[in-house]
Amino acid sequence: MSLRYGLLDLLAGEPMSGYDLARYFTLSMGNVWPAQHSQIYPELAKLASEGLITQTGEGPRGRKVYQTTPAGVEAIRAWLRASERDYSVRYEALLRVFCLWVLPTDEALAYLQRDRAEYERHLDQLEKALANHDWAASPASRASRLAIEFGRRFYKMHIEWVDWAAEQIAAGTLKPGGPLPPVTAVG
Amino acid sequence: MSLRYGLLDLLAGEPMSGYDLARYFTLSMGNVWPAQHSQIYPELAKLASEGLITQTGEGPRGRKVYQTTPAGVEAIRAWLRASERDYSVRYEALLRVFCLWVLPTDEALAYLQRDRAEYERHLDQLEKALANHDWAASPASRASRLAIEFGRRFYKMHIEWVDWAAEQIAAGTLKPGGPLPPVTAVG
DNA sequence: GTTTGACATGTAATTCTTGACACGTCAAGC
DNA sequence: GCTTGACGTGTCAAGAATTACATGTCAAAC
């Protein structure tokens, strides 16, 4: 049920096509709620049939531009207000960390370094998005800005954590009789 | 495909029943990969039929204790080494932040404060887990320790971010003509 | 004795998500 | 004229995940 509200939100901010949504989603909401176009198009059709969005224009190559209706905005409000909040996180990259002890120490370290490069990439991408996009354009943009900031802090923290974890592993934490990682002060 | 490796990993660390797994999962891996017992039991049956785990004991009330076989451990290694890494994050709580601009400022602030309490709760729970569990017991435990530390930093960062976002919203960021959140130095 | 609550394992229907397939348009470069 | 690549919309089958259903055991409190 989350995807639909993401779409409603983006289309309330500015009119867009499914194609645009698929791309824009990847850059903003896609960081916390991935969605493929194969999921987006059917959902748009459904939202339109429920009157929560309307097609307000068309373009070349069958392009269809949608926009959220007042009823659609009200649906977002109802969702925020009434539905139970789901705080669960799904993050495979971290699940894999639980398993690292089955690898030799050097391989585990190499594993984390590859992850680290990925987090640097994500961070760069967010910094670029912060620099290139006009985040003052509208209330919707400024809300996105807040969420993007979360991503920025997330990846910064992530990189720091990788370095810390690598230290621990290098010290032999994952091998029998190795030292226990200390409870360090953070923040 | 991730769940099975989570189960293999836990059962490689120590023998457990499906019931134990469901509870233990919630406390550790569940923070990054939620799973219900209705998904765990069928997966255990499948893993057993593939020879990646074996039932090594039983207890009262039909309790079945499983353990990962050497082939199962090898399957974890193959997964870590060969399969494509998935860095995607699914986190509804953050998706909702993108939508906050449709609420009045005071309601958006109240919304975030309720979230904040939840993150405090998560942080407390992780700190308790760190204090109460013996994380030196085995290489598997010490790997978990590293992942739990990630969660700890995650929720600390999360709370700091909420406070920052609340400041921005209080300053009127989400309303037409409001100020743009600044790019602040972090870390 | 019986009730309550934690222990314990499963199945079934529905919904969500992914990945592959499928089709067609338009502009630019060769 | 043709090819390439981005644009653009969609469907379908398979797999993953959630929710509700379903059943039964055991110990302790009443």
Side-chain angles (χ1 to χ4, degrees), chain A residues 127-147:
Chain A
E127 303 268 24
K128 276 203 190 78
L130 281 173
N132 298 335
H133 196 278
D134 178 12
W135 298 100
S138 68
S141 284
R142 291 194 293 268
S144 298
R145 170 70 185 80
L146 297 181

Side-chain angles (χ1 to χ4, degrees), chain A residues 51-71:
Chain A
L52 302 179
I53 62 175
T54 34
Q55 192 183 333
T56 58
E58 49 190 305
R61 294 167 245 198
R63 175 186 172 88
K64 296 178 187 173
V65 176
Y66 295 97
Q67 195 170 346
T68 299
T69 64

Side-chain angles (χ1 to χ4, degrees), chain A residues 1-3 5-6 9 12-13 25 28-35 39 73 76-77 79-81 83-104 107 110-112 114-116 118-119 122 127 130 135-136 138-158 160-161 164-165 168-169 172-187, chain B residues 1-3 5-6 9 12-13 25 28-35 39 73 76-77 79-81 83-104 107 110-112 114-116 118-119 122 127 130 135-136 138-158 160-161 164-165 168-169 172-187:
Chain A
M1 289 306 286
S2 303
L3 172 63
Y5 297 105
D9 182 70
F25 218 83
S28 56
M29 294 175 177
N31 287 303
V32 293
W33 199 268
Q39 207 181 352
V73 175
I76 305 175
R77 287 205 187 96
W79 179 59
L80 289 174
R81 285 170 175 154
S83 74
E84 265 187 50
R85 305 189 192 179
D86 176 4
Y87 292 99
S88 68
V89 178
R90 204 170 278 279
Y91 191 23
E92 197 199 85
L94 237 280
L95 179 67
R96 284 173 179 244
V97 171
F98 282 92
C99 304
L100 279 185
W101 64 280
V102 304
L103 295 180
E107 211 182 330
Y111 186 97
L112 279 183
R114 225 181 94 194
D115 270 7
R116 191 186 196 280
E118 182 70 21
Y119 304 137
H122 278 255
E127 303 268 24
L130 281 173
W135 298 100
S138 68
S141 284
R142 291 194 293 268
S144 298
R145 170 70 185 80
L146 297 181
I148 301 286
E149 174 70 21
F150 177 86
R152 186 161 150 264
R153 293 178 185 219
F154 177 80
Y155 286 111
K156 285 205 177 196
M157 178 277 283
H158 217 322
E160 283 168 29
W161 172 84
W164 173 84
Q168 304 302 320
I169 293 173
T173 295
L174 298 189
K175 292 304 127 185
L180 176 71
V183 177
T184 48
V186 175
Chain B
M1 288 305 289
S2 303
L3 172 63
Y5 297 105
D9 183 69
F25 220 82
S28 56
M29 294 176 176
N31 286 302
V32 293
W33 199 266
Q39 208 183 350
V73 175
I76 306 174
R77 289 204 185 97
W79 179 61
L80 289 174
R81 284 169 175 154
S83 76
E84 264 187 49
R85 304 186 193 181
D86 176 4
Y87 291 99
S88 68
V89 178
R90 202 171 280 280
Y91 191 23
E92 198 200 84
L94 237 279
L95 179 68
R96 284 174 178 241
V97 171
F98 282 92
C99 304
L100 280 185
W101 64 279
V102 305
L103 295 181
E107 211 182 328
Y111 187 97
L112 280 182
R114 224 181 94 192
D115 270 7
R116 190 186 197 282
E118 182 70 22
Y119 304 137
H122 278 256
E127 304 268 23
L130 281 173
W135 299 99
S138 67
S141 284
R142 290 194 294 267
S144 298
R145 171 70 186 80
L146 297 181
I148 300 286
E149 174 70 21
F150 177 87
R152 185 160 152 263
R153 294 178 183 219
F154 177 81
Y155 286 110
K156 285 205 175 194
M157 179 277 284
H158 217 322
E160 284 169 27
W161 171 84
W164 173 84
Q168 305 302 320
I169 293 173
T173 296
L174 298 189
K175 294 304 125 185
L180 176 70
V183 177
T184 46
V186 175

Side-chain angles (χ1 to χ4, degrees), chain B residues 28-50:
Chain B
S28 56
M29 294 176 176
N31 286 302
V32 293
W33 199 266
Q36 312 295 321
H37 77 271
S38 59
Q39 208 183 350
I40 291 172
Y41 285 118
E43 192 63 43
L44 286 175
K46 219 177 147 202
L47 287 169
S49 80
E50 293 173 34

